[in-house]
Amino acid sequence: VDPAWIALALSLKVAGWATALNLLLGVAAAYVLARFRFPGRELVDAVLTLPMVLPPTVLGYYLLVLIGKRGWLGSWLSATFGINLIFTWQGAVIAATIVAFPLVLKSARAAFETVDPQLERAARVLGLGEWAVFFRVTLPLAWRGILAGLLLAFARALGEFGATLMVAGSIPGRTQTLSIAVYEAVQAGQDSTANTLVLITSLTCIAVLLSAGRLAPARHLAA
Amino acid sequence: MTIAAIFSNVVRQASIAALALGALAAHAADLTVSAAASLTHAFKELAPAFEAQHPGTRLLFNFAASDTLLAQIAKGAPVDVFASADQETMDKADAQKLLAPGSRRNFAGNALVLVQPSDSPLAPRSLADLLKPEFKRIALGKPEGVPAGRYARGALEAATLWSAIEPKAVYAQNVRQALDYVARGEVEAGFVYATDAAVQKDKVKIAFSIPTATPISYPVAAIAGSAELAGARRFIDYLASPAAQSVLARHGFQKP
């Protein structure tokens, strides 16, 4: 198998996991920020949005210091469970998840805030429990905005480069994603490999955009 | 404010901006030196003395893996001097007619070593010890783009250990990144130059030196079509001077 396809498969795996994690984490955080009032709420929102504006190298460094073998979380993981995240695809997933997280958070929070609380109150009056209200009223009404955020997050995770390179390194077949493989090929002056890789990347991104259009059809069609 | 006053104000602001841009752009004699990552500390230390000897000349350094630098030069990067960590990369530059004829010479030598985190309890005595399961990850420069990685692969191939060690390999973008992986304790061992090991003396220790099939020697050359060819040749001459050689020696480089 051509190494380019292995890199593509790895990129899709990492982006898929990062998106799935963000579906849980991003939506949960967005719901809390949209529905509950507590002191420091906007500060929490700002801190959670940081990965969108911080340079990826800064995130990569934070992650190295945090989950590296001598980092405070990493040394605990290593001593307690024998888990090591640096130079693994799971490390790449963590980097991609954090980088893409604000995209889900922002979209989902905006979506939750546009859901009319009257509808939730009506559901409660009709006897639904809190979980049922969330899954049968709030989530379906906010779904379109959440889905848009998830697609953006998937695309962002697919293109993640800086933090991933710092945390997961560039091990062919294990942590070398498409974007890192392109960088390696250009650095080594291997133009034909780079050409194949950028072509595959571009076609993959077009496929993502086309399926995004299918999954989230224009508002006037669905309404 | 009258229109004339506004106009003169705008002109004044624009000319200040233009002056600032001019200062940022072409300095009278900026000499761009693309040098192997392992030369980082030594070249930075050499720069002030060279600039003092040649007033008006300013050295701009671009440090990376030698193959990366070659790829940039081949794509037309405005580089005046190229210093590589191996002959092979410079041969490639020569074959692509990128070098100013007659400007190439060797200016330093180095040695390949195996390093470990300084608090590591492991004590490898030979390359074959790296087969032991305690050595889970071994850092080396990516052989396709980093000379130090090629030297390491060559040494492992000569010992017929490469296919067994390769699954443990963690590839670095340049030799200094391999050093950093060892210093942070993310890998159990790594292949770097003796001069790199000296940079992080408190965090890494040398397990042993590794003989290489070809001696590690650093060539330097002026780039064909450089606008500062005379300056480039002066810098190359300076590298051979006793002053520069003593700085290189202090950083652990050997005589060419």
Side-chain angles (χ1 to χ4, degrees), chain A residues 158-175:
Chain A
L158 201 61
E160 207 332 270
F161 173 75
T164 307
L165 183 62
M166 289 176 76
V167 171
S170 166
I171 308 174
R174 279 192 285 163
T175 66

Side-chain angles (χ1 to χ4, degrees), chain B residues 13-33:
Chain B
Q13 300 274 344
S15 51
I16 290 169
L19 276 174
L21 279 175
L24 281 177
H27 193 265
D30 279 348
L31 208 54
T32 306
V33 178

Side-chain angles (χ1 to χ4, degrees), chain B residues 73-135:
Chain B
I73 295 167
K75 293 271 189 301
V79 172
D80 302 303
V81 177
F82 176 37
S84 155
D86 68 346
Q87 301 293 332
E88 191 183 328
T89 309
M90 195 60 94
D91 290 344
K92 279 190 216 159
D94 201 9
Q96 295 177 45
K97 309 240 179 298
L98 297 171
L99 307 182
S103 64
R104 174 176 175 171
R105 71 193 55 160
N106 297 333
F107 69 95
N110 212 337
L112 188 69
V113 296
L114 187 79
V115 288
Q116 303 174 264
S118 50
D119 56 1
S120 168
L122 307 170
R125 305 212 165 277
S126 70
L127 289 176
D129 283 348
L130 295 178
L131 295 173
K132 292 179 182 166
E134 302 91 274
F135 291 94

